[in-house]
Amino acid sequence: MASKVRLTAKERGDEVLRAAVQAFAASGYEGTKTDEIARLAGVSQPYVIRLFGTKQQLFLAAIRSVCARIEEIFRAAAAASPELRTLGANYAVLLAERELLLVLLHGFSASGDPVIGDCVREGFGNIYTLVRDLTGATPEETRQFLAEGMLMTVLTAMQVMGPNAIALPWSQELTSTYE
Amino acid sequence: MASKVRLTAKERGDEVLRAAVQAFAASGYEGTKTDEIARLAGVSQPYVIRLFGTKQQLFLAAIRSVCARIEEIFRAAAAASPELRTLGANYAVLLAERELLLVLLHGFSASGDPVIGDCVREGFGNIYTLVRDLTGATPEETRQFLAEGMLMTVLTAMQVMGPNAIALPWSQELTSTYE
DNA sequence: CCTTGTTGTAATTGACTGATAACAAGCTCG
DNA sequence: CGAGCTTGTTATCAGTCAATTACAACAAGG
């Protein structure tokens, strides 16, 4: 098994970070235990701490990671067609990587902590600016675009949207308007 | 001081619930300690538990409470003018009671827990149906309305909107589109 | 080969936290 | 008044969890 393989700290750190994104997406900042992340990554709990210093720093790394990935998706989409409408179709790509929007949501929730708040404000601000610049949309158009994204995010968190969605009358009516 | 006054279990329960809404709004489900709620309400921590059984049940009560209040605000607004546009102006009322949308946000985040998820899905579903019925709007119009609400919610959580907002270039540009 | 730096774990700890139990103080009504 | 129900507290526990320490295995270069 691969668990006996020795990796460089950087490589192992990347694996742990990926595990952290998955875990934080499922349970949030306070709700996720470092031991859970460690098991997901196949390493010991103390090693997770040594690689990132503290649980908080690991969460910050997860936030930065998903923000960078979201920007990457929007950049790729805009390269094909820099229109806000067509960019909207790429929410499907975001929803396919369910953990991206979920980690961001948990970041919003944890913004009461000043350190996390700073990180989230910077990440979300960058996304806003990027979308606006890529599409040339007005602030208002960009706002509406992001608003739809936030609704999809909470619908995903509520598990009424995406794979394994719980089917409810209201949620089916609501999500059917996206087609 | 009022802390020596004996109240009925129902009255004290209401006070504790109000404290819980404040505390959960600030720190979320996992992040809020029952002891914190107890101090806010001016009672002992074990009494908080005895009044509501478990922390989870207290959180459920907080979710139901804010959902009911949100419905109440929309009902009152629609009584004056049952148009979606004018209902939007009443987001100001929701933002004035900052804790309403914040508790709901933390509910979304905690929806991974099946019990909490059920409660949040029901609460949000009721709000969707109510807004649609009150205004006679189409599902798509209602969706756009709620989407704007979700964006405001996360902007509030990030503390770039509302009182004591942290001023950032991007957030000022974004929120100025609401005027 | 052996020394030095790096990757990784086992053991432990100390602080925290939700919940329980036992008890105390008031209210109410016969 | 005093018995019984309700309100509330103090003391405490059992479990959890992030973080530290000490140590082990391994790799690379001289």
Side-chain angles (χ1 to χ4, degrees):
Chain A
M1 54 168 85
S3 60
K4 292 285 186 183
V5 178
R6 252 172 83 113
L7 301 181
T8 65
K10 163 125 187 56
E11 288 168 333
R12 191 66 79 186
D14 286 348
E15 289 196 359
V16 170
L17 181 55
R18 237 175 303 151
V21 167
Q22 292 298 325
F24 282 132
S27 314
Y29 176 54
E30 303 272 3
T32 301
K33 316 305 170 194
T34 56
D35 178 67
E36 201 180 320
I37 296 169
R39 264 183 286 116
L40 253 179
V43 298
S44 66
Q45 179 267 337
Y47 197 37
V48 169
I49 295 298
R50 228 186 35 189
L51 285 172
F52 288 86
T54 65
K55 179 185 172 182
Q56 186 187 66
Q57 285 181 282
L58 178 51
F59 188 66
L60 295 181
I63 293 280
R64 292 198 194 96
S65 167
V66 303
C67 285
R69 176 78 185 114
I70 290 170
E71 288 192 31
E72 187 181 28
I73 288 171
F74 282 150
R75 262 186 244 273
S81 164
E83 299 284 323
L84 239 197
R85 287 181 303 100
T86 58
L87 208 61
N90 282 273
Y91 270 130
V93 179
L94 286 177
L95 291 172
E97 290 176 60
R98 217 169 159 276
E99 63 278 9
L100 294 180
L101 291 174
L102 288 180
V103 168
L104 200 51
L105 177 70
H106 290 300
F108 298 141
S109 289
S111 288
D113 179 304
V115 179
I116 296 174
D118 280 344
C119 180
V120 170
R121 281 183 286 273
E122 185 186 335
F124 188 82
N126 286 342
I127 291 172
Y128 166 76
T129 307
L130 180 71
V131 169
R132 192 201 57 193
D133 289 351
L134 284 175
T135 63
T138 66
E140 182 164 359
E141 289 166 340
T142 309
R143 184 201 77 206
Q144 287 168 357
F145 176 80
L146 292 178
E148 293 287 357
M150 291 305 98
L151 178 60
M152 286 195 218
T153 300
V154 306
L155 292 174
T156 302
M158 273 188 280
Q159 300 167 69
V160 297
M161 199 174 185
N164 305 85
I166 296 166
L168 296 170
W170 67 266
S171 68
Q172 295 193 305
E173 178 180 308
L174 178 53
T175 57
S176 71
T177 64
Y178 281 122
E179 291 150 13
Chain B
M1 53 169 86
S3 60
K4 292 285 182 184
V5 178
R6 247 174 88 112
L7 302 180
T8 66
K10 163 124 186 59
E11 287 168 334
R12 191 65 79 186
D14 286 348
E15 289 196 359
V16 169
L17 182 55
R18 237 175 303 150
V21 167
Q22 292 299 325
F24 283 133
S27 314
Y29 176 53
E30 303 271 3
T32 301
K33 314 306 170 192
T34 56
D35 178 68
E36 201 180 320
I37 296 169
R39 264 182 285 119
L40 253 179
V43 298
S44 66
Q45 178 268 337
Y47 197 38
V48 169
I49 295 298
R50 234 194 18 199
L51 284 172
F52 288 87
T54 63
K55 178 184 171 182
Q56 185 186 68
Q57 284 180 282
L58 177 52
F59 188 66
L60 295 181
I63 294 280
R64 292 197 193 95
S65 167
V66 303
C67 285
R69 177 77 184 116
I70 291 169
E71 288 191 32
E72 187 182 28
I73 288 171
F74 282 149
R75 263 185 243 274
S81 164
E83 300 283 324
L84 239 196
R85 286 181 304 99
T86 58
L87 209 61
N90 283 273
Y91 271 131
V93 180
L94 286 177
L95 291 173
E97 291 176 60
R98 217 169 158 275
E99 62 278 9
L100 295 180
L101 292 174
L102 288 180
V103 168
L104 199 52
L105 177 69
H106 289 300
F108 298 141
S109 289
S111 289
D113 179 303
V115 179
I116 296 174
D118 280 344
C119 180
V120 171
R121 281 183 287 273
E122 185 186 335
F124 188 82
N126 288 343
I127 291 172
Y128 165 77
T129 307
L130 179 71
V131 168
R132 192 203 56 194
D133 290 351
L134 284 175
T135 62
T138 65
E140 182 164 358
E141 289 166 340
T142 309
R143 183 200 78 207
Q144 288 168 357
F145 176 80
L146 293 178
E148 293 287 357
M150 292 304 100
L151 178 59
M152 286 192 219
T153 300
V154 306
L155 292 175
T156 302
M158 273 188 280
Q159 300 166 68
V160 297
M161 200 173 184
N164 304 84
I166 296 167
L168 295 171
W170 68 265
S171 68
Q172 295 193 304
E173 178 180 309
L174 179 53
T175 57
S176 72
T177 66
Y178 281 121
E179 292 150 13

